[in-house]
Amino acid sequence: MDDIKNWLHALVVGILDDTSALEILTKEDEMGVLYTITGIAPDERGKIIGRQGKTAEALRTLLRSVGMSKNVRAALRIDIPDFSQPKEGEV
């Protein structure tokens, strides 16, 4: 499990410029392992999410694939504080 965490950390460090507060937390339960990326600088949010969430989805797909190769059900959560979705009707 630590090798998956290290792999994910290396991948995220390659995407972001400011990694001073970057941290990857793990939580294991009966459903598998949840990897949470925290400490993303406010101006780096767009890089980790990508256009229409494509970068985040690619990270999730890669993590699931690596997890499957190690017989681990892996999921990814990207924790971005103060990030709010537009309310319904707002553009």
Side-chain angles (χ1 to χ4, degrees):
M1 189 166 74
D2 281 340
D3 53 341
I4 295 175
K5 182 179 176 180
N6 292 336
W7 171 83
L8 181 60
H9 187 271
L11 197 61
V12 173
V13 164
I15 295 171
L16 301 176
D17 292 328
D18 181 9
T19 59
S20 58
L22 180 67
E23 189 175 4
I24 297 180
L25 308 173
T26 58
K27 180 181 177 185
E28 190 170 356
D29 61 12
E30 66 277 352
M31 294 294 293
V33 181
L34 175 65
Y35 294 89
T36 304
I37 302 173
T38 63
I40 300 170
D43 58 332
E44 300 277 307
R45 293 175 184 166
K47 290 180 181 177
I48 198 71
I49 296 172
R51 288 189 181 172
Q52 298 180 350
K54 293 201 183 272
T55 303
E57 187 57 36
L59 286 171
R60 288 186 176 99
T61 301
L62 287 169
L63 181 62
R64 277 193 306 268
S65 178
V66 169
M68 286 174 57
S69 72
K70 303 214 180 269
N71 295 323
V72 174
R73 184 173 177 182
L76 178 65
R77 180 174 182 265
I78 302 171
D79 186 26
I80 301 176
D82 301 328
F83 182 76
S84 61
Q85 296 289 331
K87 295 179 181 156
E88 201 168 307
E90 287 183 2
V91 177

